[in-house]
Amino acid sequence: MTTLVIAEHDAEGLKPASLHALAAAARLDGETDLLVMGQGCRAAAEAGTALGVRQVLLADEAGYAHQLAEPCAALVTSLAGDYSHLLAPATTFGKNLMPRVAALLDVGMVADIIAIEAEDTFVRPIYAGNAIATVRSLDPIKVLTIRATAFEAVTAGPDPAPVVELAHPAEPGGSRFVTDALAESARPELTAARVVISGGRGLGSKENFALLERLADKLGAAVGASRAAVDAGFAANDMQVGQTGKIVAPELYIAVGLSGAIQHLAGMKDSRVIVAINKDGEAPIFQVADYGLVADLFDVLPELERQLAP
Amino acid sequence: MKVLVTIKRVIDYHVKIRVKADQSGVDLANVKMAANPFCEIAVEEAVRMKEKGWVSEVVAVSVGPAAAQEQLRAALALGADRAVLVQADDFPEPLTVARLLASLCEREQPGLVLLGKQSIDTDNNQVGQMLAALNGWPQATFASHIERENDELLVTREVDGGLQTLALALPAVVTTDLRLNEPRYASLPNIMKAKQKPLETLTADALGVTPRVHSQLLKVTPPPVRQAGIKVADVAELVDKLKHEAKVI
């Protein structure tokens, strides 16, 4: 058995989600290779050499720039014959790529797994996390995406692995990159943050989100949002936590002015400690909160900020 | 250009689901069913494209039980021109659904297939990508904005770091994200008119597809329940608990 992990990276280095996918790979028997596809991404490949892998495969050419699904899926498919398992993080990158790979290989796929029970048996949430399914894959190659928050990240080890350059020209696939509009943030990445502070519709306006941001800066936290807050224009859509947004499991999750709809809970209920601040004592968020404070957030937030001041 | 738009019948968004005691699955008996919310967004987008004159015909497709006709009729009431039900009694796996849709694409020759990004029951997020692969077409997943420029489709995608815009050569597959549009409601006259629109029923056999089994569902269990927490009286107590009891700050 050999596993291929498809890295998500930003050319300079590996994205944290890739480290969690490598950790899932380490739960399987056999060795792991890491594949880095992109343009000018040697640094990302180098970063992978100390993570306990057998080798890092590097496909570095213009055709793989922006990691479009069509050329990347063709490359992964061409490599797949050597592997029993193909893994990618269950991020928008992995979710976009892996089903295409599976279909090209004529195999099914198991998405967003949270545990590995055997080489062919995986656990995944369904119905927005309201049920947990255990699934056995019957295909010769297992194509999986990994929920990052369910596996601890791998850490760097001593033995550097070789970087092997692949000579596989990218096949054009009918799609073309036009632009990126990436949200700028100096705060930690939402899915990797130790503390997350999320706001809901209760914040009332985009300006009031600044209250959360000030508190987040005090705690070194990332800022998240409920779908209602995103739809109301209070927060950018890449801040959305939930079934259809990002899945987080930080040490501390502070939910401010959000009711706790099941779609939101699906994205955060595996957090270690959950704090809810809401003036409605009946809000469903209190059913999952370790510490609940029934109060007006506009009184609480400044007070919290003051009390956390060093 | 013709657009194919897919609809899945799922448990209604608002229903609190129950896991069966024998762990065989989720209890679907006597539960309110509805169209998957992402599929509603796909239908709305297809109808808007028709209203803009980009497309000539909108064909709504569902792979599922006979009862999915209800969701197809709803799509017809919203502006789809005709509907196709590919009848399947069990819930076929994503690759089988994709193979059925690929076969239908061969017959219908659409310029675009619009699907929801995921269904809220199985949360797979696979069918659109698999269909694109089988057809050898480009894909744009998680679309939050679609424009047409000459012969290409400009699709803005919601990705983890923000937004990304791709240009797709047609034919192509696009899957919809929540912010693509706000679906309309059907008017009563349109609901009445939808009853007259054609709805064809097909089988996997007729499409030349033999469903295969790629995975086995071993069990379905409820998620672990969190320990009930406590309510604190004020901010001071909250900070104290976080510092000394939970030790997270």
Side-chain angles (χ1 to χ4, degrees):
Chain A
M1 271 187 16
T2 318
T3 301
L4 180 67
V5 172
I6 293 105
E8 180 171 5
H9 63 87
D10 59 5
E12 299 302 314
L14 299 172
K15 292 274 185 77
S18 302
L19 308 186
H20 296 272
L22 281 168
R27 300 281 183 88
L28 296 159
D29 290 335
E31 292 186 291
T32 301
D33 289 354
L34 182 69
L35 171 64
V36 176
M37 300 174 278
Q39 184 180 22
C41 55
R42 178 165 280 278
E46 297 290 347
T49 57
L51 298 174
V53 299
R54 178 178 69 172
Q55 56 183 352
V56 179
L57 308 176
L58 172 62
D60 188 345
E61 65 155 294
Y64 296 116
H66 309 292
Q67 295 143 46
L68 300 182
E70 298 82 7
C72 287
L75 174 59
V76 175
T77 307
S78 75
L79 299 171
D82 296 337
Y83 298 95
S84 58
H85 294 74
L86 305 177
L87 273 61
T91 54
T92 51
F93 164 76
K95 289 174 178 174
N96 185 46
L97 176 66
M98 296 309 266
R100 190 169 180 108
V101 169
L104 292 173
L105 294 170
D106 200 23
V107 298
M109 168 180 161
V110 188
D112 212 8
I113 66 169
I114 57 172
I116 297 173
E117 291 206 335
E119 54 147 321
D120 62 352
T121 308
F122 312 101
V123 181
R124 61 182 301 267
I126 53 175
Y127 288 92
N130 287 297
I132 305 294
T134 305
V135 178
R136 175 179 292 148
S137 163
L138 306 173
D139 288 312
I141 301 177
K142 322 294 183 209
V143 179
L144 312 168
T145 55
I146 307 298
R147 179 172 289 194
T149 57
F151 297 88
E152 294 278 339
V154 290
T155 47
D159 289 336
V163 174
V164 177
E165 285 193 48
L166 298 175
H168 187 287
E171 298 165 21
S175 76
R176 184 167 58 78
F177 172 81
V178 182
T179 55
D180 261 340
L182 297 181
E184 289 294 326
S185 175
R187 294 191 190 85
E189 199 182 340
L190 193 51
T191 48
R194 205 186 68 82
V195 180
V196 172
I197 304 180
S198 271
R201 209 198 310 257
L203 266 294
S205 75
K206 191 173 175 172
E207 290 66 40
N208 289 339
F209 249 77
L211 292 171
L212 286 191
E213 287 164 6
R214 289 219 307 268
L215 186 57
D217 289 339
K218 277 252 154 63
L219 290 168
V223 178
S226 69
R227 184 190 159 189
V230 172
D231 283 350
F234 302 169
N237 61 36
D238 59 317
M239 288 163 67
Q240 186 186 321
V241 172
Q243 181 189 19
T244 61
K246 288 184 179 156
I247 313 287
V248 301
E251 288 282 297
L252 173 61
Y253 189 91
I254 306 177
V256 181
L258 61 81
S259 64
I262 55 174
Q263 293 77 19
H264 185 78
L265 300 184
M268 47 63 79
K269 67 185 162 70
D270 294 323
S271 305
R272 192 166 81 75
V273 175
I274 297 173
V275 171
I277 298 166
N278 202 306
K279 65 181 172 190
D280 174 11
E282 301 301 311
I285 189 73
F286 287 114
Q287 290 163 21
V288 300
D290 300 283
Y291 303 108
L293 178 54
V294 181
D296 190 329
L297 66 94
F298 295 106
D299 299 332
V300 172
L301 287 177
E303 181 65 15
L304 251 181
E305 207 185 316
R306 202 179 56 75
Q307 296 209 16
L308 290 171
Chain B
M1 175 173 86
K2 186 195 288 186
V3 171
L4 233 57
V5 58
T6 60
I7 297 149
K8 185 177 183 183
R9 177 179 166 91
V10 297
I11 289 188
D12 187 272
Y13 209 62
H14 300 100
V15 171
K16 181 116 178 71
I17 60 136
R18 283 190 318 274
V19 173
K20 288 191 207 166
D22 66 358
Q23 302 195 337
S24 63
V26 167
D27 195 355
L28 298 181
N30 304 315
V31 171
K32 185 177 178 227
M33 304 295 280
N36 179 45
F38 293 100
C39 300
E40 291 182 329
I41 292 169
V43 171
E44 174 67 29
E45 196 65 18
V47 171
R48 288 187 191 188
M49 285 180 172
K50 190 178 176 197
E51 288 167 349
K52 286 179 197 159
W54 295 1
V55 307
S56 50
E57 190 184 26
V58 176
V59 184
V61 183
S62 189
V63 177
Q69 288 188 32
E70 205 184 309
Q71 280 66 46
L72 287 172
R73 285 285 172 211
L76 293 170
L78 292 171
D81 296 290
R82 61 189 171 88
V84 179
L85 173 68
V86 181
Q87 207 164 329
D89 286 331
D90 303 328
F91 286 94
E93 290 179 55
L95 185 57
T96 299
V97 175
R99 288 168 68 220
L100 291 165
L101 293 173
S103 171
L104 199 61
C105 283
E106 215 166 289
R107 203 183 71 158
E108 296 279 349
Q109 299 286 322
L112 176 69
V113 183
L114 275 170
L115 308 91
K117 76 165 174 182
Q118 75 190 64
S119 60
I120 59 164
D121 50 359
T122 51
D123 284 335
N124 275 316
N125 196 327
Q126 296 178 17
V127 173
Q129 295 89 314
M130 288 179 159
L131 173 62
L134 297 177
N135 282 350
W137 294 356
Q139 69 187 49
T141 47
F142 322 123
S144 61
H145 188 75
I146 304 176
E147 260 182 85
R148 202 184 61 166
E149 201 172 83
N150 305 319
D151 295 338
E152 290 181 319
L153 219 51
L154 289 186
V155 183
T156 302
R157 309 175 54 224
E158 294 193 8
V159 294
D160 287 331
L163 300 170
Q164 177 190 61
T165 303
L166 298 180
L168 303 185
L170 298 173
V173 170
V174 174
T175 72
T176 63
D177 214 322
L178 279 173
R179 274 162 290 277
L180 181 59
N181 60 48
E182 201 156 310
R184 72 191 69 183
Y185 292 97
S187 67
L188 188 58
N190 285 343
I191 292 171
M192 299 310 288
K193 271 188 240 161
K195 294 185 175 159
Q196 308 305 320
K197 290 186 178 175
L199 194 161
E200 182 185 8
T201 301
L202 292 173
T203 58
D205 252 6
L207 287 168
V209 173
T210 312
R212 291 198 312 254
V213 178
H214 296 276
S215 68
Q216 203 182 341
L217 183 62
L218 300 182
K219 64 175 180 184
V220 176
T221 53
V225 181
R226 282 189 81 97
Q227 295 270 331
I230 56 161
K231 290 216 172 122
V232 293
D234 53 28
V235 172
E237 190 186 347
L238 177 62
V239 171
D240 180 67
K241 294 277 188 201
L242 291 178
K243 274 189 180 150
H244 300 111
E245 195 173 278
K247 295 188 170 52
V248 282
I249 54 173

